[in-house]
Amino acid sequence: MRYAVVIHKDPDSDYGVTVPDLPGCFSAEASVDGALASVTEAIECHVEGLLIDGENIPSPVSIEEHKENPDFAEGMWALVDVDLSKLSGKSRRINVTIPERILNQIDAFAENLSESRSGLIA
């Protein structure tokens, strides 16, 4: 899953990264690269907590939708790719029958998001 994140830095502080789609999920590091790497772990931990609590995982929203929020006006935007399938337990292979037209639409949508078919469904 790809989450929009906003990177912000105040004078005399590390780079902070906030995940608008996951309220309360954030990280901080001395460099932008480090902050982006640590926010991936923060997202995984946050989502794992949601799963343990039996809550739904919020779907990511586009950067364009978040840009309107004045809380993020001064930040730099990035997308972070997080593999959430490893958090929900053991994967299970299934066999489904879907009309070819629908399967083609699923594949096109997945490709547009830089996902595999299985990754999109998971």
Side-chain angles (χ1 to χ4, degrees):
M1 217 173 256
R2 291 168 37 134
Y3 281 97
V5 298
V6 63
I7 305 161
H8 42 89
K9 183 167 184 354
D10 294 326
D12 302 320
S13 75
D14 285 346
Y15 289 92
V17 182
T18 302
V19 186
D21 293 316
L22 301 171
C25 184
F26 59 90
S27 70
E29 290 286 338
S31 70
V32 172
D33 289 341
L36 288 172
S38 69
V39 79
T40 300
E41 183 178 347
I43 292 170
E44 290 170 350
C45 289
H46 191 90
V47 169
E48 189 170 33
L50 292 173
L51 291 171
I52 288 169
D53 293 343
E55 297 182 34
N56 292 327
I57 301 170
S59 296
V61 176
S62 70
I63 290 174
E64 286 75 22
E65 292 181 55
H66 287 302
K67 278 186 170 180
E68 302 302 318
N69 186 332
D71 292 340
F72 307 126
E74 301 297 319
M76 297 182 298
W77 290 94
L79 288 172
V80 177
D81 195 20
V82 182
D83 181 9
L84 299 179
S85 64
K86 63 184 175 182
L87 301 178
S88 60
K90 185 177 177 184
S91 294
R92 192 167 152 209
R93 185 177 185 85
I94 61 169
N95 185 21
V96 297
T97 302
I98 298 175
E100 187 173 11
R101 178 181 61 79
I102 302 296
L103 187 59
N104 289 337
Q105 290 175 336
I106 290 169
D107 288 344
F109 187 72
E111 183 177 340
N112 188 40
L113 295 174
S114 300
E115 288 276 358
S116 66
R117 180 189 302 155
S118 293
L120 175 71
I121 293 171

